[in-house]
Amino acid sequence: MKRLLFIAMLAFISIPAFAAKNSQTVNLPEAVTVGTTQLEAGDYKVTWSGTGSNVQVTLLEKDKYSPKPVTVTAKAEDATTSQVGFTVERQGNVSKLRTLKVGKTTLIFDTTSASGQ
């Protein structure tokens, strides 16, 4: 009985540790569009869940009083090195967020579809 209780407590303590693994703060020094939403320059908390080409990514601006999260679908690929950064694709006067490198994961956004907001 004590062993079962210990295992249950360990599981509950471990859940936040696993959730934190898929979270990263990213600074976007310029305005970019992701999905159909324009994100202003600033710091964003990025969280993601899922694997392969069906990853749900949420970006939440950290400095706003009442931020609205932006959720889009992306493809996740493992990276060989741990880093934080992003790439954009310029389409006319619009900079579309193409990739986010968060730790050892690269999130790749489809710049042709609109699924944000």
Side-chain angles (χ1 to χ4, degrees), residues 1 9-10 13 18 22 24-25 28 30 32-34 40 43-44 49 53 57-58 69 77-78 80 82 93 98 115-116:
M1 181 70 170
M9 287 177 52
L10 185 61
I13 292 170
F18 289 122
N22 290 338
Q24 179 77 45
T25 298
L28 299 175
E30 64 180 282
V32 296
T33 299
V34 61
E40 298 300 320
D43 292 324
Y44 289 83
S49 62
S53 60
V57 181
T58 301
E77 291 183 355
D78 292 336
T80 55
S82 183
N93 293 333
R98 179 70 179 125
S115 59

Side-chain angles (χ1 to χ4, degrees), residues 83-113:
Q83 55 186 311
V84 176
F86 69 98
T87 61
V88 296
E89 182 177 299
R90 310 253 186 238
Q91 295 179 350
N93 293 333
V94 177
S95 295
K96 291 194 172 194
L97 189 60
R98 179 70 179 125
T99 65
L100 269 178
K101 296 177 186 206
V102 284
K104 288 197 170 190
T105 302
T106 300
L107 301 169
I108 304 167
F109 301 96
D110 182 1
T111 58
T112 60
S113 68

Side-chain angles (χ1 to χ4, degrees), residues 17-91:
F18 289 122
K21 186 170 85 170
N22 290 338
S23 177
Q24 179 77 45
T25 298
V26 174
N27 177 271
L28 299 175
E30 64 180 282
V32 296
T33 299
V34 61
T36 59
T37 305
Q38 171 133 1
L39 302 177
E40 298 300 320
D43 292 324
Y44 289 83
K45 180 178 180 184
V46 180
T47 56
W48 64 97
S49 62
T51 58
S53 60
N54 192 23
V55 177
Q56 294 298 308
V57 181
T58 301
L59 297 102
L60 183 65
E61 191 168 8
K62 293 185 77 170
D63 296 333
K64 283 201 171 177
Y65 175 70
S66 177
K68 293 182 181 173
V70 175
T71 302
V72 293
T73 302
K75 177 181 177 185
E77 291 183 355
D78 292 336
T80 55
T81 60
S82 183
Q83 55 186 311
V84 176
F86 69 98
T87 61
V88 296
E89 182 177 299
R90 310 253 186 238
Q91 295 179 350

